Amino acid sequence: MEASKDILANEAEPGVNEDELRSDIIAVLRTIYDPEISVNIFDLGLIYTLDIDPEGHVEIEMTLTAPACPVAGTFPGVVEGRVAEVPGVNSVHVELVWEPPWSIDSMTDEVKLELGLL
C-alpha cells in the first residue's frame, strides 16, 4: 500500500522529488545558525517537524533554546525566507512552538561533542 501512495504522489506532481527536496531543505537549515549558540538550527535540534507535500508546500515546526530569546519574533521569518529559496519549494509556513521545551538532549552527538558536553 505504501508503494501506491508514492506512485500517486509522483503522478500528481512529477517535478517534485520529496526525498531530494527534504535533503535540500535540511542542507539550507544547516546554514542557519542560532544567534546565541554558534551551531546550526537543524543539528541544535530546533526543528521539530519538516513536512513536505507532493506540490512542494513545506510546513516546519521549530522552537528556540528559550522563550525569552531576543529573536523569537523574527527568527521564524528568517527560516521561512531561506527555505522558500530552495528550488522546488512552492510555499513555506514556519510555526514557532514551545512544547516540548528544547533541551540539550535535542542536539546531535556531534554538536554535544563540539560544545564539550560529551
Side-chain angles (χ1 to χ4, degrees), residues 23-44:
S23 294
D24 292 346
I25 291 169
I26 290 171
V28 166
L29 293 171
R30 284 190 164 129
T31 68
I32 304 169
Y33 285 78
D34 181 272
E36 295 178 313
I37 305 170
S38 54
V39 175
N40 75 73
I41 63 172
F42 190 82
D43 293 331
L44 192 55

Side-chain angles (χ1 to χ4, degrees), residues 78-114:
V78 170
V79 173
E80 193 170 278
R82 295 285 301 279
V83 171
E85 295 174 356
V86 175
V89 170
N90 290 316
S91 68
V92 183
H93 177 257
V94 175
E95 183 177 353
L96 188 60
V97 298
W98 301 109
E99 293 295 325
W102 178 86
S103 75
I104 290 173
D105 295 332
S106 302
M107 293 185 217
T108 63
D109 287 342
E110 292 80 12
V111 170
K112 289 177 188 173
L113 184 62
E114 181 182 322

